[in-house]
Amino acid sequence: MSEIAPRKLLKGETGDWEVVIGLEVHAQVSSKSKLFSGAPATYGAGPNENVSLVDAAMPGMLPVINRYCVEQAIRTGLGLNAQINTWSRFDRKNYFYPDLPQGYQISQYLDPIVGEGEIEVELGPEETITVGIERLHLEQDAGKSIHDLSPTDSYVDLNRSGVALMEIVSKPEMRSGEEASAYFGKLRTIVRYLGTCDGNMDQGSMRADVNVSVRRPGEELGTRTETKNVNSLKFVRQVVEYEARRQIEVLEAGGTIDQETRLFNVKTGETRTMRSKEDAHDYRYFPDPDLLPLEFEQAWVEEIRASLPELPDAKKHRFVEQYGLPPYDASVLAADKTAAAYFEAVAEGQDGKMAANWVMGDLFGALNKEGLEISDSPVSATQLGGLIGLIKDNTISGKIAKEVFALMFSGEEIGTPAEIVEKRGLKQVTDTGAIEAVIDKIIADNPKQVEQVKEKPKTMGWFVGQVMKEMGGKANPQAVNQILKAKLGVE
Ligand code: ADP
Ligand code: MG
């Protein structure tokens, strides 16, 4: 186990205890067929519709490796900046379970296809950490037992049996629930970019086994517990926080932690014992005699590398360079491929920072409120870009722009922002003569306020408000301020 430098505690009342977390993430490979059979790997089929003789483990059936799944594992390894092993091997992990007809799972134990790597994880505007990857290996999923269809019988659905999974194992380098959950989210972003897993946690395509232990900083790693099948970012954080608190309480009361497998209850936010943890030797791992070692050329790896899309970190760094965005804003926009593309379309030929502010502020806010995805945005990137252009060249003020945005978002107005501004007569008045006329009238009508502003210059704001009201918010704010100052004698 690698030695870990103590890092400052983030959130959570851990006192002088340090929390140590490592995640094993199962990510279902996006592929048409299963890892060792030609049966479909699609989600949502009827019970046992996607089961071949191989998946049902009929006697004499032989597994044949799916080249595309191997390619997907390599692609993911490259996305994790990891070592790709051109020689790896499949092992049998032996155990009995009613939804595992073979009596063993084909997995990779000593020689995984992907070795060590690392990824950047953003925690917030000020903080990015690097988390080490221990390995990624390929393995088959098991089927599913269903116990709630009948009071007396259990059923087995083997559709998932044999579907390819990538198990991505982190180093024990995370130190809080927040870090663990951000890491899980970053993995999802990466596999979605790569197209190697759909990342749909609620459908079980991505789930995490959360390993948690506590120790006094500088001491050896403590005994860990492993909480199985946690399928949301929020739950990962809850598991860590619950487990850390529980373990600290046990240790502070003079007890010891049992190395065990636990289950998370999403309703109560608590974990409970499932079974004591087995060791690797309990599984009697041995190389699967039905399969040759998996060997491929480095040239193939290079071919896959050359075909990778721009990844979120590269995109983030480019956004910082090209548009002058703060790194955190850049990472938020880069986290989702569609959002990133939308932002770039808005920013084309416009002020990049303004584009980022509008996308992350007004647009994301409005979409959230309506529960819409960016791909369903009623305001197109071209429209938003046009709107920013109108602010930039002083055709409209920022305040009027928000009005125009709301009109476009609600569908009340269609067309380009310039057309809408024209049609609704929202153009900013920069004609100083017109502004002056309004100001003169307000000054003449309000002698008391004019007296007051001489003593309290701050009350000039009242005049600005009056002018804006009179002119329907369309007066150029700089011009209004300038003329008012001159006329009222405010410094
Ligand atoms: P397994 O759980 O299958 O026996 P490993 O020994 O490889 O597999 O460890 C699995 C995960 O547990 C890894 O993500 C690793 O970082 C994490 N881990 C190992 N030791 C600790 C520890 N003391 N505290 C927290 N996490 C740990
Ligand atoms: Mg484990």
Side-chain angles (χ1 to χ4, degrees), residues 20 22-24 169-172 211 213 221-222 224 226 277:
V20 175
L23 256 54
E24 295 158 275
V169 182
S170 83
K171 299 196 173 175
N211 295 271
S213 67
L221 288 180
R224 71 185 150 117
E226 176 184 26
K277 177 154 173 71

Side-chain angles (χ1 to χ4, degrees), residues 7 13 25 51 87 156 177-178 184 191 229 238 272 276 310 326 335 346 351 367 373 378 386 402 412 418 426 446 489:
R7 200 171 39 237
E13 303 132 310
V25 172
V51 185
W87 192 98
V156 174
E178 210 189 349
F184 194 24
V191 294
N229 289 329
Q238 286 179 349
R272 65 176 169 79
S276 75
E310 183 182 35
V346 174
D351 181 302
L367 290 172
E373 297 292 325
K402 285 188 193 289
E412 232 176 295
L426 294 173
N446 297 283

Side-chain angles (χ1 to χ4, degrees), residues 309-382:
E310 183 182 35
L311 291 173
D313 287 343
K315 207 183 272 288
K316 166 184 142 185
H317 295 305
R318 181 168 64 77
F319 283 3
V320 171
E321 290 276 303
Q322 187 175 339
Y323 302 104
L325 302 188
Y328 186 71
D329 292 8
S331 76
V332 170
L333 290 168
D336 180 86
K337 225 175 178 171
T338 321
Y342 185 101
F343 159 72
E344 291 212 83
V346 174
E348 202 183 321
Q350 305 292 351
D351 181 302
K353 273 191 192 152
M354 275 174 84
N357 287 341
W358 273 87
V359 172
M360 290 172 60
D362 298 81
L363 181 73
F364 282 2
L367 290 172
N368 263 343
K369 216 164 135 196
E370 297 298 318
L372 293 174
E373 297 292 325
I374 194 147
S375 47
D376 310 319
S377 170
V379 178
S380 73
T382 320

Side-chain angles (χ1 to χ4, degrees), residues 291-310:
L291 288 158
L292 288 167
L294 177 60
E295 244 185 309
F296 46 81
E297 302 286 324
Q298 183 64 30
W300 190 36
V301 178
E302 296 315 320
E303 216 175 279
I304 297 170
R305 193 195 304 275
S307 76
L308 291 184
E310 183 182 35

Side-chain angles (χ1 to χ4, degrees), residues 87-218:
W87 192 98
S88 68
R89 190 161 67 179
F90 287 97
D91 300 280
R92 288 187 180 179
K93 181 179 183 181
N94 298 281
Y95 63 99
F96 171 80
Y97 227 71
D99 56 20
L100 186 74
Q102 289 174 147
Y104 57 85
Q105 177 193 32
I106 307 180
S107 182
Q108 296 191 300
Y109 177 53
L110 289 179
D111 299 291
I113 182 167
V114 176
E116 293 189 321
E118 61 177 36
I119 62 172
E120 271 181 36
V121 178
E122 292 79 15
L123 299 178
E126 300 298 329
E127 200 161 11
T128 297
I129 56 169
T130 302
V131 176
I133 304 291
E134 184 69 43
R135 59 191 272 156
L136 174 157
H137 63 254
L138 275 170
E139 63 185 27
Q140 330 169 277
D141 205 350
K144 192 174 162 197
S145 300
I146 300 156
H147 306 292
D148 56 3
L149 280 182
S150 148
T152 51
D153 298 310
S154 283
Y155 294 86
V156 174
D157 180 1
L158 293 181
N159 280 350
R160 282 219 319 247
S161 168
V163 166
L165 298 179
M166 299 178 282
E167 180 169 334
I168 304 167
V169 182
S170 83
K171 299 196 173 175
E173 293 184 344
M174 288 157 276
R175 293 292 175 271
S176 69
E178 210 189 349
E179 291 189 9
S181 140
Y183 164 81
F184 194 24
K186 187 59 182 276
L187 275 189
R188 178 174 62 182
T189 296
I190 293 172
V191 294
R192 282 186 168 164
Y193 257 80
L194 294 165
T196 55
C197 167
D198 64 28
N200 294 337
M201 296 181 179
D202 49 352
Q203 292 175 2
S205 305
M206 246 188 130
R207 45 195 198 262
D209 297 346
V210 183
N211 295 271
V212 180
S213 67
V214 299
R215 67 169 175 184
R216 308 272 186 192

Side-chain angles (χ1 to χ4, degrees), residues 384-404:
L384 189 50
L387 189 65
I388 291 168
L390 294 180
I391 306 170
K392 193 81 186 173
D393 69 11
N394 280 324
T395 307
I396 54 175
S397 65
K399 194 153 163 267
I400 294 287
K402 285 188 193 289
E403 254 176 60
V404 177

